[in-house]
């Protein structure tokens, strides 16, 4: 760092015009250093009080003489005050203070002293001084808009590294506001315009520091001194704060919205434009997708943003591109077909994107005819999505807007054509990541060009077979759009929720032509961004569209060895065009205190925000490295956080930890801090989530969809996506399912849901031990729902929900949930509805509810995925919750200690009315689905006996398609008319197998949002989750010998899981498992909202 020091003898102070020198010289030197990109450090020592008594009063004008103490130590991050070199020497110890010296100035320098307890925000242990500034930390951004992983920042990078707590935040800039919350204030700038820092362009906020009686202000991001415009001037009070701060929202609130003047516009605001690109191939026609899409679009026409300014347009495609003339002078739309995909051109320059108000009749006529327009002779198995996107881009590029794409099959014609590349041999291996990365760059390059022209893409996909979402997902990812996938779309079961989602996408609050930048105080830096956007330069996020569901994350890291202030400021600014054509800037600013104590940092951790950010980081690692590394990083992060939290505060000097001697207390005996109690549970659940679970039972398209969901999830959704809620329906109380009238302080928020505050049933931990064969249970992960019905469930309950006393021997496709029958069914319906009813969100989107019968091995295989407290059958997922807590408590250095080997969970317990459990099957006591065939080793390709799975090349005797909607006789590439045989729900009874009539096909456990699964290869095995790896350590292998639940393993038959990752090579081997040694570990905390029995 370059330093310019002004040395003036103490006796010569009276010979200088101190205020004039201070102001003029600092201005000159500041300009000099800015030109040479040098940090400026001026060492001034103020004269004794009383030498310059003239006060500056009245309206702003030329600089006036200053008051005593006006020139304070330099701004945060500029230099280390302990290293300052001479001005006048300070008074010696015990010297009396000059008369008139204030007891506490606006900036108070913390004196040095012996190590000891430090006030909050100081680093007494470092032996260094920091500036203690008066900051109102009660000014915060509402949690619906912005959440930090920790509400305090470590003083040094060494402390941040040792604590292992991920620093960063997540923001949802346009989150809807509930009735109880205060909406964002709008600020109309005056003649002075929007006040910003002249160096870093930070917006004026509540945490800047006012100097010279309000004539100047210091930026809290870069410490630049700025002049206050005369039109913005106001005097300061005795605390150095502006007297009008409570009258200006930008000076007293964490979030405001400025109305931007003309200089913030590159071009005049454009009309909100919506362009629909619709697949009309045979699959789209026969599935019912066109009917649902036209219904939702017609419903939204009256509520599209923009009022009378809105524009709409349509393009359909199969093996050619179809334009539509929607001129207002026409009675019916005119179709213009371009079949030459190589020399694509726009046949009509006008009337392809029209004003909705002027052409309303033509648009409605088109939507009425769309479902039947291509039904007579649909094009089979051909799709030219790439040329259709280019055609739509040509029409939209002048105005930008939102493009909504509907696709049912893999594009295979023209630009952007894709080839099937699924390969079962790489599933569950490190090379699986190749399937999660796009093979072609065409969609990425197209998305970047769309972003430059302010076009956002929302994709609605309806896969009946592999579609390569890794490539298609580049469009919404880089254009700030969203990806929605409806696997095995069925009009009767999925049509309503698709229409609700499309309607919400079209009419929700949307910002156009947006950019966003996140700034932080000097000494810190933003290192990574997460979400859907395209980065321009280094830190400017290009967002053609931003809506109420747009979520972004970022990592925060130290950029310097010390932060020379007692707080750090983070500011996010979103510049956008509203649907009314007004340019606005939403500015969110929050100050976070600095701490030098690990205990204070740990106490400030936000578990939900931390887990959400860790999920986004793991998804990023999965694509850059592989899924195994993402799981290991999650596990190691959890272990490191818990170890550091138990280590307590450490003494540091100059930012480095001082070595400590042996301590008599053992860290293992220390209790887990309250803020971190749920971190191990959330970590274990994340490792077993569909996005990160190992094995061969997750389809690559499903995993990509999960990554997109995680990228756009706010904390209220991610906490249930990671750890779902399991409700007991058969024994719920008499008041459950009705509005909850009582309001007490000790009633948890999880006890009710929805605007009507519907009381929810008892919540159970996610373990198969909590299932009972005479019970009915509802599982909700925030995206989809499952109802599990036991074999011995009460007939009255089953009849109320399904209209039949029993589900045994019923065709799975004929099981329908009735939520409008008797009182019990209505209460269950109220519960299901309330779980999707967000009081802050004016739109309601329902979820698909799947029925799982006890004994249906295929459906139960997926249902048991969500039981994260039980062992899973892939490497890295073999922990149950108790063992994982022990593993974390031991610091991750050895296998869990405790009782003997733990087998896999047994079947659901006997009914509470004394019903006997189901009879054991050939695979053991009513256990889970059979394990996969024994491969040559974990991670290797399957052996010759491995069944052909979805994702691999089709065999000659088996069609590649994995199902389709009910339709006329199937054609090549069209959906077959029978129930899906893979990548979908369970097959109907008596389904004909390509291997022979009545012979069940080889089992394949591929999962999907609707159940990516293939038919079972053996009689269904039920009542417990998939078994773990056998004792040989290989993934798969034969099932264990049958035994009743609770019995010890047979001699010579080891049924325990392999231990978790052990110590590094050369370390002492873990002790043998046996009786617990010493005091047992503390019991794990219950999951969020769970009430253990």
């Amino acid at each position: 760092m370059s330093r310019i020091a002004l040395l003036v003898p103490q006796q010569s102070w009276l010979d200088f015009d101190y205020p004039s020198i201070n102001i003029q010289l600092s201005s000159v030197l500041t300009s000099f250093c800015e030109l040479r990109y040098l940090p400026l450090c001026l060492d001034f020592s103020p004269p004794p009080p009383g030498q310059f008594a003239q006060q500056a009063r009245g309206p702003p004008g030329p600089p006036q003489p200053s008051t005593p103490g006006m020139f304070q130590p330099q701004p945060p991050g500029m230099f280390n005050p302990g290293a300052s070199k001479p001005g006048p020497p300070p008074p010696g110890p015990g010297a009396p203070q000059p008369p008139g010296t204030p007891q506490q100035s606006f900036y108070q320098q913390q004196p040095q002293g012996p190590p000891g307890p430090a006030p909050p925000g100081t680093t007494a242990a470092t032996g260094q001084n920091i500036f203690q500034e008066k900051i109102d930390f009660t000014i915060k951004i509402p949690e619906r808009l912005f959440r930090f992983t920790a509400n305090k920042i470590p003083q040094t990078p060494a402390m941040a590294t040792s604590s292992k707590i991920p620093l960063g935040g997540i923001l949802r800039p346009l989150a809807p506001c509930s009735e109880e919350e205060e909406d964002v204030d709008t600020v109309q700038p005056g003649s002075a315009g929007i006040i910003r820092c002249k160096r870093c362009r930070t917006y004026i906020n509540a945490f800047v520091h006012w100097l010279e009686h309000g004539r100047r202000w210091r930026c809290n991001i870069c410490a630049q001194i700025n002049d206050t415009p005369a039109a913005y001037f106001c005097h300061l009070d005795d605390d150095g704060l502006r007297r009008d701060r409570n009258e200006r929202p930008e000076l007293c609130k964490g979030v405001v919205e400025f109305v931007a003047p003309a200089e913030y516009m590159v071009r005049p605001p454009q009309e909100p434009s919506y362009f629909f690109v619709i697949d009309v191939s045979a699959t789209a026609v026969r599935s019912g997708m066109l009917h649902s899409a036209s219904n939702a679009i017609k419903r939204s026409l009256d509520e599209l943003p923009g009022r009378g300014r809105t524009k709409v347009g349509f393009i359909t495609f199969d093996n050619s591109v179809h334009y539509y003339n929607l001129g207002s002078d026409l009675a019916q739309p005119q179709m213009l077909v371009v079949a030459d995909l190589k020399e694509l051109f726009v046949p009509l320059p006008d009337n392809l994107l029209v004003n909705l108000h002027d052409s309303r009749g033509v648009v409605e006529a088109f939507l009425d005819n769309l479902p039947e327009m291509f039904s007579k002779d649909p094009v089979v198995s051909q799709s030219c999505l790439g040329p259709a996107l280019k055609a739509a881009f040509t029409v939209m590029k002048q105005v930008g807007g939102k493009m909504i794409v509907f696709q049912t099959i893999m594009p295979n014609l023209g630009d952007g054509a894709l080839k099937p590349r699924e390969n079962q041999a790489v599933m569950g291996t490190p090379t699986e990541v190749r399937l999660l990365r796009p093979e072609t760059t065409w969609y990425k390059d197209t998305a970047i060009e769309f972003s430059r022209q302010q076009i956002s893409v929302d994709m609605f996909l309806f896969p009946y077979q592999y579609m390569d979402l890794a490539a298609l997902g580049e469009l919404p990812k880089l254009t700030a759009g969203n990806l929605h996938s409806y696997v095995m779309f069925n009009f009767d079961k999925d049509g309503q929720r698709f229409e609700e989602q499309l309607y919400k996408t079209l009419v929700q609050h949307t910002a156009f032509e947006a950019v966003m930048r996140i700034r932080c105080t000097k000494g810190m830096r933003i290192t990574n961004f997460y979400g859907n956007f395209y980065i321009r330069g280094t830190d400017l996020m290009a967002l053609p569209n931003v809506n109420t569901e747009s979520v972004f994350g970022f990592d925060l890291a130290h950029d310097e060895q010390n932060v020379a202030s007692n707080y750090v400021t983070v500011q996010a600014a979103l510049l956008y065009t509203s649907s009314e054509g007004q340019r606005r800037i939403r500015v969110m600013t929050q100050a976070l205190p600095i701490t030098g104590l690990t205990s204070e940092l740990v106490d400030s951790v936000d578990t939900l925000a931390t887990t959400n950010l860790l999920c986004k980081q793991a998804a990023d690692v999965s694509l850059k490295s592989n899924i195994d590394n993402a799981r290991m990083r999650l596990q190691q992060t959890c272990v490191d956080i818990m170890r550091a939290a138990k280590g307590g505060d450490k003494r540091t000097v100059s930012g480095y930890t001082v070595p400590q001697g042996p301590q008599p207390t053992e860290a293992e005996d220390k209790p887990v801090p309250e803020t971190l109690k749920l971190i191990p549970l959330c970590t274990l659940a994340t490792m077993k989530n569909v996005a990160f679970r190992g094995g061969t039972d997750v389809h690559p398209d499903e995993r990509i969809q999960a990554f997109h969901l995680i990228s756009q999830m706010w904390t209220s959704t991610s906490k249930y996506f990671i750890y779902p809620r399991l409700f007991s329906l058969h024994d719920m109380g008499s008041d459950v399912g009705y509005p909850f009238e009582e309001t007490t302080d000790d009633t948890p928020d999880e006890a009710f849901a929805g605007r009507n505050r519907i009381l929810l049933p008892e919540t159970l931990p996610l373990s198969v031990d909590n299932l009972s064969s005479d019970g009915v249970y509802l599982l909700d992960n925030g995206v989809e729902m499952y109802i599990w019905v036991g074999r011995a469930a009460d007939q009255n309950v089953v009849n109320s929900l399904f209209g039949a006393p029993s589900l045994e021997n019923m065709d799975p496709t004929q099981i329908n949930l009735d939520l409008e029958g008797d009182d019990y069914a209505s209460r269950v319906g109220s519960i299901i509805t309330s779980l999707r009813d967000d009081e802050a969100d004016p739109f309601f989107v329902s979820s698909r509810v799947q029925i799982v019968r006890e004994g249906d091995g295929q459906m139960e295989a997926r249902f048991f995925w969500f039981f994260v407290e039980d062992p899973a059958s892939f490497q890295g997922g073999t922990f149950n919750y108790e063992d994982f807590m022990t593993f974390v408590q031991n610091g991750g250095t050895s296998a869990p200690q405790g009782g003997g080997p733990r087998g896999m969970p047994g079947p659901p317990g006997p009914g509470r009315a004394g019903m006997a459990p189901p009879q054991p099957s050939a695979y053991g006591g009513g256990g889970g689905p059979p394990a996969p065939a024994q491969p040559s080793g974990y991670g290797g390709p399957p052996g010759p006996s491995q069944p052909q799975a979805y994702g691999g090349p089709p065999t000659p005797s088996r069609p590649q398609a994995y199902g389709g909607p009910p339709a006329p006789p199937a054609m090549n590439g069209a959906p077959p008319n029978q129930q899906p045989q893979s990548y979908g729900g369970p097959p109907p009874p008596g389904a004909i197998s390509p291997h022979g009539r009545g012979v069940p096909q080889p089992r394949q456990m591929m999962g999907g949002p609707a159940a990516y699964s293939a038919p079972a290869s053996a009689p269904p095995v039920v009542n417990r989750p998939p078994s773990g790896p056998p004792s040989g350590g290989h993934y798969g292998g034969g099932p264990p010998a049958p035994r009743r639940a609770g019995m010890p393993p047979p001699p010579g038959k080891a049924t325990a899981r392999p231990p978790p990752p052990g110590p590094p090579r050369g370390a002492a081997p873990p002790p043998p498992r046996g009786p617990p040694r010493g005091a047992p570990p503390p019991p794990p905390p219950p999951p969020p909202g769970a009430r253990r029995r």
Side-chain angles (χ1 to χ4, degrees), residues 30 104 108 147 195 221 241 361 632 641:
T30 299
Q104 183 178 5
Q108 177 181 356
R147 294 183 72 161
I195 310 301
I221 297 294
L241 304 176
M632 292 304 299
I641 290 176

Side-chain angles (χ1 to χ4, degrees), residues 319-321 323 336-348 384 386-388 390-391 394 413-415:
N319 59 356
S320 58
V321 179
Y323 297 84
L336 307 172
V337 181
V338 177
D340 189 351
L341 303 181
K342 294 183 179 180
E343 300 294 334
L344 195 68
F345 64 94
V346 179
L348 190 68
C384 61
K390 292 174 62 178
T394 304
L413 294 177
D415 292 334

Side-chain angles (χ1 to χ4, degrees), residues 813-875:
T813 61
Q814 302 301 318
I815 299 177
N816 295 313
L817 183 62
D818 181 13
L819 301 177
E820 299 179 355
D822 57 14
D823 178 71
Y824 179 84
S826 299
R827 291 164 60 196
V828 174
S830 298
I831 293 170
I832 292 176
T833 301
S834 67
L835 293 175
R836 292 293 175 271
D837 185 16
D838 185 357
E839 60 180 354
D841 192 346
F843 305 98
F844 175 82
V845 179
S846 58
S847 290
R848 183 174 186 178
V849 182
Q850 301 194 61
I851 311 303
V852 182
R853 299 176 299 174
E854 183 180 8
D856 187 344
Q858 182 181 359
M859 292 298 295
E860 280 195 331
R862 180 174 182 85
F863 178 69
F864 286 138
W865 280 6
F866 302 103
F867 285 71
V868 296
E869 296 192 29
D870 292 331
S873 58
F874 61 89
Q875 188 178 28

Side-chain angles (χ1 to χ4, degrees), residues 55-409:
Q55 300 272 341
R57 299 183 180 275
Q64 299 295 329
S66 119
T67 56
M70 183 180 70
F71 294 94
Q72 302 296 342
Q74 291 301 314
M78 295 297 293
F79 71 103
N80 180 2
S84 298
K85 291 186 180 179
Q97 295 293 333
T101 302
Q103 295 298 321
Q104 183 178 5
S105 63
F106 188 67
Y107 297 96
Q108 177 181 356
Q109 187 167 348
Q110 179 72 18
Q112 296 184 3
T122 66
T123 56
T126 65
Q128 296 183 357
N129 298 333
I130 64 173
F131 295 113
Q132 296 292 330
E133 299 164 349
K134 292 182 179 179
I135 296 296
D136 186 0
F137 291 111
T138 61
I139 300 176
K140 295 183 178 181
I141 307 172
E143 285 194 350
R144 73 175 191 275
L145 299 173
F146 213 129
R147 294 183 72 161
F148 292 90
T149 57
N151 292 316
K152 293 188 177 180
I153 302 296
Q155 173 71 26
T156 65
M159 179 183 172
T161 302
S162 63
S163 69
K164 305 300 181 181
I165 294 175
L167 298 179
I170 52 174
L171 65 155
R172 189 183 178 189
L174 296 183
C177 178
S178 65
E179 296 179 357
E180 293 78 13
E181 296 176 311
E182 184 179 359
D183 205 353
V184 177
D185 291 279
T186 301
V187 177
Q188 181 71 50
S191 58
I194 300 178
I195 310 301
R196 301 182 67 181
C197 175
K198 63 183 180 182
R199 174 188 291 171
C200 68
R201 308 303 293 162
T202 294
Y203 293 86
I204 193 75
N205 58 81
F207 308 106
V208 301
H209 309 293
W210 300 95
L211 307 173
E212 301 181 27
H213 298 282
R215 289 183 174 82
R216 309 180 82 185
W217 59 277
R218 177 184 292 125
C219 175
N220 53 325
I221 297 294
C222 70
Q224 171 70 27
I225 305 296
N226 300 273
D227 294 327
T228 304
Y232 199 76
F233 172 81
C234 180
H235 290 285
L236 308 183
D237 60 15
D238 295 338
D239 294 327
L241 304 176
R242 285 176 60 113
R243 298 182 184 275
D244 66 344
R245 63 185 182 278
N246 293 325
E247 302 170 7
R248 293 185 177 273
E250 70 271 23
L251 300 181
C252 64
K253 295 188 177 181
V255 54
V256 294
E257 193 160 272
F258 293 98
V259 177
E263 55 262 29
Y264 288 84
M265 303 179 189
V266 177
R267 62 179 181 178
Q270 302 297 306
E271 302 90 344
S273 301
Y274 295 83
F275 205 88
F276 301 89
V277 181
I278 307 173
D279 175 16
V280 292
S281 62
T283 306
V285 171
R286 294 170 181 169
S287 66
M289 182 272 288
L290 294 180
H291 190 275
S292 293
S294 60
N295 285 344
I297 297 173
K298 282 191 296 184
R299 178 188 170 195
S300 67
L301 293 181
D302 291 326
E303 302 179 51
L304 286 176
R307 300 176 183 175
R309 305 167 55 247
T310 308
K311 290 186 174 183
V312 297
F314 298 89
I315 279 181
T316 58
F317 64 96
D318 40 32
N319 59 356
S320 58
V321 179
H322 319 133
Y323 297 84
Y324 293 91
N325 181 359
L326 303 173
S328 58
D329 56 339
L330 300 176
Q332 292 289 331
Q334 294 179 349
M335 179 192 294
L336 307 172
V337 181
V338 177
D340 189 351
L341 303 181
K342 294 183 179 180
E343 300 294 334
L344 195 68
F345 64 94
V346 179
L348 190 68
D350 301 320
N351 295 331
L352 298 179
L353 184 65
V354 297
N355 182 276
L356 176 60
H357 179 75
D358 297 339
S359 302
R360 178 66 178 267
V362 184
V363 171
E364 290 185 346
F366 169 78
L367 294 173
D368 290 336
N369 296 329
L370 178 61
E372 304 297 332
M373 193 181 300
F374 299 91
S375 60
K376 294 183 180 180
D377 188 20
V379 176
V380 178
S381 187
Q382 293 184 354
S383 173
C384 61
L385 174 61
L389 291 173
K390 292 174 62 178
F393 172 76
T394 304
V395 177
M396 295 185 68
K397 64 182 180 180
Q398 299 301 325
V399 295
K402 181 183 288 291
M403 182 187 300
I404 300 94
V405 178
F406 306 89
Q407 180 75 13
T408 58
I409 62 176

